[in-house]
């Protein structure tokens, strides 16, 4: 039983570690490949904001299902013997995978903000970014490069 508990604990720790690797929505955190590249800068004024929920990709859900299935199978291995053990392993793997999938979905969900900006050229854009936080009416830089757009105080 101790071995199963240790296996389960290791699987939970690994799942938590994967969830911690999720990228953050911040204008202050840039990918390494964005260093020493040119970006276009426009100016605008924040006209609206709203809270949005970002869902992670399928990778976190798959990892959760796999880790949960492995943990469930390990626990099922500790039950009974013979055919009963095989059945318990299968049930444990299935239940663990279902629980891991739900945990992966929850771990990949986070809150952010969608900012609407009126550009000086008259157009409007919306950018999803968690920080920094802006006030309605605040003048901002709209920085676009490398397929991404971020906002910064002007």
């Amino acid at each position: 039983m101790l071995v199963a508990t240790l296996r389960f604990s290791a699987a939970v720790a690994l799942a938590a570690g994967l969830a911690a690797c999720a990228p953050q929505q911040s204008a202050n955190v840039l990918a390494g490949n964005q260093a020493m590249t040119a970006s276009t800068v426009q100016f605008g004024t924040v006209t609206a904001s709203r809270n949005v929920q970002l869902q992670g990709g399928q990778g976190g859900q798959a990892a959760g299902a796999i880790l949960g299935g492995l943990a469930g199978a390990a626990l099922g291995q500790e039950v009974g013997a013979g055919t009963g053990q095989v059945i318990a392993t299968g049930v444990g793997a299935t239940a663990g995978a279902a629980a891991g999938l739900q945990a992966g979905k929850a771990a990949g969900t986070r809150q952010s903000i969608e900012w609407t900006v009126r550009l000086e050229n008259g157009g409007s854009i919306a950018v999803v970014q968690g920080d920094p936080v802006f006030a309605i009416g605040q003048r901002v830089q709209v920085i676009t490069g490398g397929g991404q757009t971020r906002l910064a105080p002007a």
Side-chain angles (χ1 to χ4, degrees):
M1 188 59 127
L2 178 61
V3 172
T5 303
L6 290 175
R7 286 180 189 161
F8 180 74
S9 297
V12 169
L14 183 57
L18 289 174
C21 292
Q24 302 299 312
Q25 291 290 319
S26 172
N28 299 319
V29 178
L30 305 177
N33 64 355
Q34 289 181 289
M36 299 180 64
T37 61
S39 296
T40 303
V41 179
Q42 300 180 68
F43 291 88
T45 303
V46 175
T47 58
S49 68
R50 70 182 184 106
N51 293 326
V52 295
Q53 189 175 49
L54 300 176
Q55 293 184 342
Q58 300 295 321
Q61 295 175 27
I66 290 168
L67 291 173
L70 290 172
L75 290 174
Q77 278 285 81
E78 300 301 316
V79 176
T83 304
Q85 186 179 37
V86 171
I87 292 170
T89 301
V91 169
T94 303
L101 177 64
Q102 293 306 314
K105 285 180 182 178
T109 301
R110 60 192 185 280
Q111 298 296 317
S112 194
I113 304 169
E114 180 182 70
W115 303 98
T116 304
V117 176
R118 176 72 138 171
L119 301 173
E120 288 182 340
N121 68 9
S124 290
I125 62 165
V127 177
V128 175
Q129 169 180 312
D131 74 59
V133 175
F134 303 101
I136 303 300
Q138 183 174 349
R139 185 170 159 81
V140 294
Q141 297 178 64
V142 179
I143 305 164
T144 304
Q148 296 183 340
T149 299
R150 66 185 195 280
L151 304 176

